[in-house]
Amino acid sequence: MAADAAETTDAGGDGGETWADVSPEAARRLLLAAVDAFAERGFHATTTRDIAGRAGMSPAALYIHFRTKEELLYQISRVGHERSVRILTEASEVSEDPAERLASAVRTFVRWHAERHTTARVVQYELNALSPEHHEQIVELRRRTGAVMRGILEDGVAAGRFAVPDVPGTALALLSLCIDVARWFNPDGPRSPEQIGELYADLALRMVGAH
Amino acid sequence: MAADAAETTDAGGDGGETWADVSPEAARRLLLAAVDAFAERGFHATTTRDIAGRAGMSPAALYIHFRTKEELLYQISRVGHERSVRILTEASEVSEDPAERLASAVRTFVRWHAERHTTARVVQYELNALSPEHHEQIVELRRRTGAVMRGILEDGVAAGRFAVPDVPGTALALLSLCIDVARWFNPDGPRSPEQIGELYADLALRMVGAH
DNA sequence: GTCTATAACCAGATAGAC
DNA sequence: GTCTATCTGGTTATAGAC
């Protein structure tokens, strides 16, 4: 799965590669600072002064690059969701074998939510703070995520390789399992993102009765 | 003051049975109003005026019953977590059979998170807004939840009925799956809490390789 | 116990100098 | 583009009448 789309390749960590092609540099620093602050305190508890301070700027400088605090959240949410859909899609295209596709999708999606848990936390848990218009756009991206997962399961069932009585429900559960990693993952904990990815890929195969 | 209430039995719905024995009545109305407001907007975006207004009181009346807005969140969180631990524990004691115990625990825990998704959302997703002292108390209650789930899996493995390579990791995944229901559950959606409970109980049995 | 009124403070956002 | 200074409005919490 070569990543050559519009959004740059990524390395590990939460260092900010996601925003590598945002310019000018000040806007990038602000986005990075906002991700950290939103993840730590939540959108509403974060002040624009805090974001600007983390980026080494005055409160007013933020408004040169973003119209409002919500605009900052929207950019984070949009880029994060686009990345998330792309990661899941590409990971599900590694093979023709349904079990390999599912394992790859879950492993990769979980790894992303663990490695990028800071970004993922904002992306997955601060949606409600978006304006109605922005919220609707993000929900549309999420529908695509659900469709990808259902597609994998449907193909596995059609090929006689999965035993899944309720495809939409199981797809929901699988995505739910992956996404929730962002909530509880702790980089100082006993498990690495890779280990969690492997564990969850195995659990996913069991859930669909792969054989 | 308020809410030293032991816990009551519950009925269905999110109507407020959880707070049935909180007195005086004004404190109960405030707790109920706060749950709705926190679930809808999040703790930080909720104003004390909003809470008091929903309870049909003036902003100042809130401070007769609760020292601060955070105190209100703490009571909700504490009672919710105590209830949550108790529900999981009792559900896991229905039988001696590991598979029945796991299915009962997951079914019941999921149903609670769906039926009481409003309360559960606050209980599970607004922890960060608690003061450090209160946060620590709640984390301790959460550790007990984890211990209950691990106990079920260990017993199943010891009895030779479950095939679980990583008990703590799988326990984490199972709880994660249940808890995340509170995030996405929609009472107007196609699935009832009972249906989701059944689906998830089945998925849980598959995850542990029950036989 | 609840109300009205208000204190004390802090947020998001803007103006204008450099 | 960034800064300092400030505006405007909303926030938690309190005082004192009833």
Side-chain angles (χ1 to χ4, degrees), chain A residues 120-140:
Chain A
R121 235 164 252 178
V122 178
V123 164
Q124 301 291 1
Y125 295 102
E126 300 292 334
L127 292 185
N128 301 335
L130 291 168
S131 72
E133 299 74 30
H134 288 160
H135 186 83
E136 181 48 41
Q137 286 183 44
I138 299 299
V139 166
E140 176 54 31

Side-chain angles (χ1 to χ4, degrees), chain A residues 63-81:
Chain A
Y63 293 92
I64 309 282
H65 304 281
F66 301 92
R67 276 191 297 272
T68 62
K69 188 172 79 158
E70 191 268 351
E71 165 86 10
L72 213 31
L73 175 64
Y74 170 59
Q75 295 300 343
I76 293 166
S77 204
R78 187 182 56 77
V79 172
H81 273 91

Side-chain angles (χ1 to χ4, degrees), chain A residues 5 17 30 41 49 72 76 115 121 125-127 134 158-160 163 174 186 199:
Chain A
E17 298 81 4
L30 285 165
R41 310 188 199 288
R49 286 171 171 74
L72 213 31
I76 293 166
E115 281 170 359
R121 235 164 252 178
Y125 295 102
E126 300 292 334
L127 292 185
H134 288 160
L174 284 165
N186 174 5
L199 172 62

Side-chain angles (χ1 to χ4, degrees), chain B residues 121-168:
Chain B
R121 237 165 252 180
V122 178
V123 163
Q124 302 290 0
Y125 295 103
E126 300 292 334
L127 292 185
N128 300 335
L130 290 169
S131 73
E133 299 75 29
H134 288 160
H135 186 83
E136 183 46 41
Q137 287 183 43
I138 299 298
V139 167
E140 175 53 33
L141 284 171
R142 295 174 78 85
R143 274 193 273 266
R144 285 168 46 196
T145 308
V148 172
M149 185 61 83
R150 281 192 300 275
I152 300 173
L153 300 193
E154 279 158 8
D155 289 356
V157 169
R161 303 287 305 281
F162 294 169
V164 180
D166 178 350
V167 165

Side-chain angles (χ1 to χ4, degrees), chain B residues 26 58 60 64-65:
Chain B
S58 76
I64 307 287
H65 305 282

Side-chain angles (χ1 to χ4, degrees), chain A residues 20-134:
Chain A
D21 52 3
V22 173
S23 83
E25 195 241 344
R28 177 165 63 252
R29 287 212 316 277
L30 285 165
L31 281 167
L32 208 50
V35 168
D36 287 345
F38 292 161
E40 220 174 284
R41 310 188 199 288
F43 176 79
H44 290 290
T46 299
T47 66
T48 51
R49 286 171 171 74
D50 183 16
I51 298 169
R54 285 175 195 244
M57 283 181 247
S58 76
L62 189 151
Y63 293 92
I64 309 282
H65 304 281
F66 301 92
R67 276 191 297 272
T68 62
K69 188 172 79 158
E70 191 268 351
E71 165 86 10
L72 213 31
L73 175 64
Y74 170 59
Q75 295 300 343
I76 293 166
S77 204
R78 187 182 56 77
V79 172
H81 273 91
E82 284 169 355
R83 166 83 43 132
S84 159
V85 173
R86 190 168 61 89
I87 280 172
L88 187 68
T89 306
E90 289 180 1
S92 74
E93 290 167 348
V94 287
S95 163
E96 292 291 314
D97 179 65
E100 281 182 36
R101 291 180 63 203
L102 178 62
S104 167
V106 168
R107 186 189 301 120
T108 309
F109 208 49
V110 164
R111 277 187 51 171
W112 187 77
H113 279 85
E115 281 170 359
R116 307 290 188 113
H117 65 279
T118 309
T119 302
R121 235 164 252 178
V122 178
V123 164
Q124 301 291 1
Y125 295 102
E126 300 292 334
L127 292 185
N128 301 335
L130 291 168
S131 72
E133 299 74 30
H134 288 160

Side-chain angles (χ1 to χ4, degrees), chain A residues 96-100 153 155-164 205 208-211:
Chain A
E96 292 291 314
D97 179 65
E100 281 182 36
L153 300 193
D155 290 355
V157 170
R161 302 288 304 280
F162 293 170
V164 180
L205 291 174
V208 301
H211 55 268

